[in-house]
Amino acid sequence: MEDCIFCQIAAGKIPSAKVYEDEEVYAFLDLGQVTKGHTLVIPKEHARNMFDLPEETAAALFKRIPKIANALKETLPLEGMNILNNNEEVASQSVFHCHIHLIPRYSKEDGFGLIWHSNEDDFNNEEAQKLAAEINQRLV
């Protein structure tokens, strides 16, 4: 897609700090560097996000994640890693080409954090079973 910045990066039309490349996947350091080593992993095939990603492309993309994550772990003195994917603007997707964030974690004070709110008091077992069955029907 010509107007997609990540497609242009993968095609070599825009420079990047390339971490990894093969025929299907491209990985590069995020310009924002939430933490040192923050890497984006993208499929070379354009897809807006996970909702539009063909299964074969997803398999190729996720197959490379452990390899790249372990290279980061061997290179940097990290203590952990967040692996994130945002889909659509409401979920903080800002570039609409599917991508996975690998965010090395060095401590709880390294500048990145997630806030999880539990809604378990508003969600009972009966509702959970009903919702699970509805989702499962769409997977058949």
Side-chain angles (χ1 to χ4, degrees):
M1 184 175 235
E2 284 198 29
D3 61 340
C4 172
I5 191 169
F6 285 179
C7 286
Q8 292 177 23
I9 289 171
K13 295 177 181 174
I14 295 176
S16 67
K18 179 172 60 173
V19 169
Y20 176 83
E21 181 179 16
D22 64 26
E23 64 284 344
E24 298 176 289
V25 172
Y26 192 89
F28 57 100
L29 295 180
D30 188 300
L31 289 176
Q33 288 295 286
V34 170
T35 63
K36 185 177 181 178
H38 177 182
T39 300
L40 300 179
V41 185
I42 65 170
K44 287 185 174 180
E45 176 184 341
H46 183 82
R48 179 178 173 90
N49 54 39
M50 200 61 63
F51 298 123
D52 296 333
L53 196 64
E55 286 184 15
E56 302 79 29
T57 306
L61 178 65
F62 281 94
K63 181 178 180 180
R64 277 53 168 207
I65 298 296
K67 180 178 192 170
I68 299 166
N70 279 306
L72 287 164
K73 183 179 176 188
E74 292 169 10
T75 304
L76 299 165
L78 58 88
E79 294 184 23
M81 181 177 294
N82 286 100
I83 300 176
L84 302 172
N85 170 253
N86 305 324
N87 297 277
E88 296 299 341
E89 191 174 341
V90 70
S92 299
Q93 183 179 8
S94 59
V95 176
F96 294 92
H97 180 119
C98 187
H99 58 285
I100 309 298
H101 293 262
L102 305 182
I103 303 174
R105 299 302 308 275
Y106 301 96
S107 74
K108 290 184 178 183
E109 291 80 37
D110 62 12
F112 182 76
L114 296 172
I115 299 172
W116 296 87
H117 296 283
S118 174
N119 293 306
E120 66 183 296
D121 292 338
D122 300 327
F123 194 65
N124 65 43
N125 186 51
E126 183 178 318
E127 291 170 324
Q129 294 301 323
K130 182 179 177 191
L131 179 58
E134 289 175 15
I135 295 167
N136 182 266
Q137 287 177 342
R138 287 168 175 81
L139 294 171
V140 178

